[in-house]
Amino acid sequence: MLQFLLRRTFGAVVILFLLSAFTFFVFFGAGDPATMSCGKNCTADNIALIHQNLGLDKPLPTQFWDFFVGIFAGRDYSIGHCSAPCFGYSFATKQDVFATLLDRLPTTASLAIGGAAVFLTVGLGTGLLAAYKRGSALDKVLTSVSMVLSSAQIYILGPIALGLFVYSGLMDSPKYVDFTSNPAGWFMGLLIPWLVMSTIFTAQYTRMSRSTMIEQLQEEHVRTAKAKGMSSSYVFLRYAWRGSLIPIVTILGMDLSSLFGGAMITEFTFQLAGIGRLAIDSVLTLDLPMVMGVLIFSAALILVFNIIVDATYAFIDPRVRLS
């Protein structure tokens, strides 16, 4: 198991390095970052000074190496020392990029984790119920509803939810409240975004868990257990449920990037100050250090979660460790 995790970790480091190199050469090699940093009313002397301070007068490979080493060792700029992990300073706000990311992380993490908790609980629960009641009216209703909701989009459901719950006066506008200072405010502030963001995933996981459970119920070992006189509910939960988890965990690992993307759209829809909103604002203002920081930081988070999912998958199915 340790060797399996080390292989996954090494692969993640290689991916991060390649992603960092690709984005740096695309962003910093396509134009003049000094002009973007300086703004509209900028003189030639100011641009030359920015070139010197940011090391833009060096060859592009050297600039990338300085940037990459700075992530682990820190780096000195004219406006101050950037401590490791250093992604530089924002062109727009002059703030430390990594400190800004950490400041926005709780909002995005709350959205993603809360949304995942909702769609896993509701999606898997309704999928199992539909499989258990296969062919019944309840099964047909749940399947039909999940098919309709799977085609919905966050930017359509968001305004509808705001109209139904916020503009009607039933609930306050969504907002992020620090969990440690006010858990109830944190829950109520993110309830609508969670429900909206998780709707599409809930529909998908309902259909997936239903189909995988039905497949498992037709397996030889499950039918053998039934033939031995075990109750249907015991066989359902003891044998079929564990087997159906393997493809679900696999799909969950692949959905992590989609979940993060959903959190970004949700932040923009409900005007929440998370990493997704930060990414959109940074792209619109050509804030290259912030865009780089968001990309690398987001990729690192997704890779870490993928390693956790892989470890869970290997724990459920030991054959994975040998592949």
Side-chain angles (χ1 to χ4, degrees):
M1 187 69 175
L2 180 60
Q3 188 179 11
F4 172 82
L5 292 176
L6 288 176
R7 283 205 312 269
R8 289 289 189 271
T9 304
F10 177 75
V13 172
V14 172
I15 291 173
L16 276 180
F17 177 80
L18 294 177
L19 175 70
S20 304
F22 177 77
T23 52
F24 187 89
F25 284 105
V26 169
F27 290 164
F28 284 80
D32 185 7
T35 305
M36 301 177 192
S37 172
C38 198
K40 294 181 179 177
N41 301 320
C42 191
T43 65
D45 291 340
N46 288 336
I47 291 179
L49 182 61
I50 294 172
H51 269 265
Q52 182 180 358
N53 290 336
L54 296 181
L56 300 176
D57 49 351
K58 300 178 183 177
L60 197 58
T62 305
Q63 293 180 41
F64 169 69
W65 183 248
D66 291 341
F67 171 80
F68 188 74
V69 172
I71 295 177
F72 301 96
R75 193 175 173 188
D76 289 324
Y77 290 93
S78 60
I79 59 176
H81 176 72
C82 177
S83 302
C86 173
F87 294 99
Y89 287 96
S90 164
F91 285 170
T93 64
K94 311 304 180 189
Q95 300 294 315
D96 187 308
V97 170
F98 187 69
T100 305
L101 290 170
L102 288 184
D103 183 56
R104 299 293 187 95
L105 180 60
T107 302
T108 302
S110 297
L111 268 177
I113 295 173
V118 172
F119 75 70
L120 284 176
T121 304
V122 179
L124 297 185
T126 52
L128 294 180
L129 182 60
Y132 190 71
K133 298 289 186 182
R134 182 185 180 188
S136 66
L138 179 62
D139 176 29
K140 294 176 182 176
V141 170
L142 292 176
T143 304
S144 301
V145 171
S146 66
M147 291 182 66
V148 172
L149 292 180
S150 63
S151 61
Q153 298 296 328
I154 294 174
Y155 51 80
I156 295 176
L157 294 177
I160 294 175
L162 287 175
L164 290 175
F165 299 106
V166 178
Y167 301 145
S168 64
L170 292 176
M171 297 178 67
D172 295 331
S173 297
K175 60 183 177 181
Y176 175 75
V177 177
D178 183 36
F179 174 79
T180 56
S181 61
N182 186 357
W186 172 81
F187 179 82
M188 293 305 297
L190 295 177
L191 181 58
I192 294 177
W194 283 338
L195 295 176
V196 169
M197 189 180 78
S198 64
T199 297
I200 302 172
F201 292 100
T202 299
Q204 294 172 348
Y205 277 76
T206 296
R207 297 169 60 190
M208 182 170 58
S209 59
R210 177 186 179 277
S211 62
T212 54
M213 278 299 294
I214 290 175
E215 289 177 5
Q216 286 296 314
L217 289 171
Q218 296 172 347
E219 291 289 332
E220 190 67 31
H221 68 283
V222 175
R223 288 189 293 180
T224 302
K226 286 183 178 178
K228 290 182 177 180
M230 299 179 184
S231 66
S232 297
S233 58
Y234 180 80
V235 173
F236 191 85
L237 297 175
R238 176 66 178 82
Y239 295 97
W241 168 235
R242 179 166 182 170
S244 70
L245 281 179
I246 295 175
I248 292 173
V249 171
T250 304
I251 298 299
L252 177 61
M254 297 169 63
D255 277 345
L256 287 177
S257 57
S258 300
L259 181 64
F260 195 79
M264 293 175 64
I265 300 174
T266 306
E267 289 171 12
F268 189 76
T269 302
F270 294 103
Q271 301 296 304
L272 297 171
I275 292 178
R277 183 67 189 278
L278 178 65
I280 295 172
D281 292 341
S282 302
V283 170
L284 294 177
T285 57
L286 297 178
D287 191 350
L288 297 185
M290 193 62 78
V291 175
M292 285 279 298
V294 169
L295 284 174
I296 298 173
F297 189 71
S298 303
L301 287 179
I302 292 172
L303 288 170
V304 168
F305 283 119
N306 266 303
I307 292 174
I308 295 174
V309 171
D310 285 344
T312 306
Y313 191 17
F315 175 77
I316 295 174
D317 187 357
R319 293 173 298 178
V320 175
R321 304 173 205 168
L322 303 177
S323 61

